[in-house]
Amino acid sequence: MTEELTFPKSRLELARILKDNNNCILKTTKYFKEHFEIDSDNTKLLETLLLRIRDRFKKAKRSLDCLEGEWWHSNISMKPELKKNRVSDLLESSSDDGEVPIHSVSHRKHLDDLSLQQQRTRLSSPLECIKSLSVIENTTEISIAALSLQLLANEENNRQVATVAKEIIVSGGFCNLSNKHVPVDKALFLLDLLEVGRRKYTQLRQTLLPDNIHFPSYSKLANLRDVMISRSSITLYPNPAKLIGIHAPYCLQVQKTLERILSMVDRPTSEEFPLTFKIADGLDGSGCHTIYNQQTTNTFTKNFILFCFKPISIHTVTNRIVWQNKSPNSPFAQRPIFLCAATECEENIRSFMETMINPDIAMLQNGIPLENGVVNVDIIRSMFDKKMAAILSGAGGASCQMCTATHKDLKDRNLVLEGFPINRNITDAIELFSHIDDIESFFALSTNERFNSTHQPISEINIHPASPLHSYTGVFRWFNLLVYHLRIEKFTWSPTSPVIKESMKFLQTFIQEKTGLKVDQPNSSGGTTSTGNVARRAFSDETEYLECILSTVAIQYRPILSNIHTQLSAILRVFNSSHKVNTLELGKWCKDTYLVILDSFPWASLTPTLHKLLAHSEELIRESNSSYGLKAFSEEGTESCNKLVRKYGENLARKVSFETNNMDIFVRLTSQSDPTLVNYRRILTCERCGQSVHTTRSKRCSAMNNQKTSIQTLFTT
């Protein structure tokens, strides 16, 4: 309209004239032509404006009172091309004479009480106004809305709203504030972390959807999991008539794990190749698993055998650490290779080791080719207990699976002073059996000639039978047996005698009442309560356990018993640490402890576990791990996986058949151990000592601090 046109001064008066003409556009246009000079261009603009006002009448049920609300004064929506030079109209008041009230009428509902569609209808005019203004100012709608929000917040002194608006303006959008779409890989991690199935995951999605938290569909998670774990490579055991199990190729699993790790770190240059990928593998059996009434099941055993490996570190040719596992003993760091329903016997283990594991290991010894070079795989077979080590090495009749010493030699003081070198090699046993035709000629050899072997070795690589976890539990059981004998002063080693059993029952009750520790008692899963955690607590700096057992023996035995407990505690901590070890000092401590036990209790028997700890820990740490503690080679993760296998089989796996049940267990174990998903897991870190796997409130923190002061000489700075 022309500048000479001064009446009407507000759109509300236009609306009144339009209503007086019964909402007729032609009559209202004729009215203005009679009273004002209007050209053709202004006539079209007037008709457009009147048309939009009439649309407002229809939406407002032809009530002029509704047009007098605040929502009307924000603006009447127009096309962007008609908004130029009309910015002043956005701010003009609804009435120039003040006769019409500008506040909302009482019968209108509050904006928060409206439905989503009603809110969109009421706010359509401000939104269209923002869009039109963004065209004029040549910017985005989000910037206009954020700037308005910031100005409004500044007027009301609302700093929080102003800060949010400023962040929107700086970022150029709401991506940093309103992006609540959970990535697929993180959703898959949460699926494994929460241990839920498809039904509960769908319920979780629907529950969080009203809060604008969008989880991907379960099918997307399933597709990502299939690609991540190479689902097509996971097959049934090729001979189901003999064993029922699930198998993934060892070579492919190691290569897949290596690629996933290298995708998270800075890739080494070609000059740093060949890389060394250090892994530890092993197997363990577990019992008390649930067997369902499935028609296709051809096994009735409740025992499972799990073979798995864990990545430890990646080094360059210059010994630069590219990647190192921060929690190698976690059950979520164990990569499964084979899961079968079978008992721990030589026949079953030899069946799958010779057909699947050993051929793949021979291929891995040639290295894994990558674009920049070759990655050498260093396999350390350490994750098993004494029984499994005897089956794999074939040295079931040996007193020590690391040296050729007999049971009598273990208590020879002169041999202790000279030292027991690690002289048992599995390659020698394999070569021995290559020259033997039948089993009769094998057993015709003397014990030393056949290296105390009872059968042909199953493993083709050297085993590393110094189990950090079982060193704790084995030494703990031996120490308890020593206390049982000293309490009744029985100086002949007879753990199964009735008097020793009576002494054991008394001490079990006494220790549990005083300290809360359950010692050498059977648990519900067929094992014993003397677990690794109980043994660690008994050999920690807590004095409750030591004071309790010292109070049950005669006074003359208390000083020497306390001294042995302190020295074993220090050696076990060093053996199970990840620090740089002073091996010379450790060797002196081990030899002194060995001699103290022989001199003080010559009647006590030395178990193979105690002998390996005191006689071979120095050489093991120095030769096999570059003078670092052997914590990374512990079998704790494999033992913990037994609980997960039992839990997943009962709650998160199909019960259609035994094969599908095992397949679901294996797939979930493989998914949760993916390096990229494990990276999401929280790693407990102590703010006081800087160590991981425990917090400041944990009792282990004080134990680590006391360790630094009491056995500092065993570590190198």
Side-chain angles (χ1 to χ4, degrees), residues 368-394:
I368 300 176
L370 295 179
E371 296 179 358
N372 298 335
V374 179
V375 179
N376 299 322
V377 181
D378 184 11
I379 303 176
I380 299 175
R381 186 151 291 170
S382 63
M383 299 192 303
F384 39 72
D385 53 14
K386 178 185 175 182
K387 178 182 178 180
M388 194 64 71
I391 295 175
L392 292 174
S393 63

Side-chain angles (χ1 to χ4, degrees), residues 114-167:
L114 300 179
S115 63
L116 183 61
Q117 183 63 35
Q118 291 173 335
Q119 289 176 352
R120 290 177 180 175
T121 302
R122 184 171 293 186
L123 297 177
S124 60
S125 292
L127 294 177
E128 291 184 8
C129 175
I130 291 175
K131 291 181 180 180
S132 303
L133 189 58
S134 64
V135 175
I136 298 174
E137 301 295 337
N138 193 19
T139 183
T140 61
E141 296 89 341
I142 294 178
S143 299
I144 295 294
L147 183 60
S148 304
L149 183 64
Q150 186 180 20
L151 294 175
L152 180 63
N154 290 336
E155 292 179 359
E156 298 180 356
N157 295 326
N158 194 333
R159 294 184 179 181
Q160 185 177 3
V161 177
T163 303
V164 173
K166 186 176 181 180
E167 291 180 3

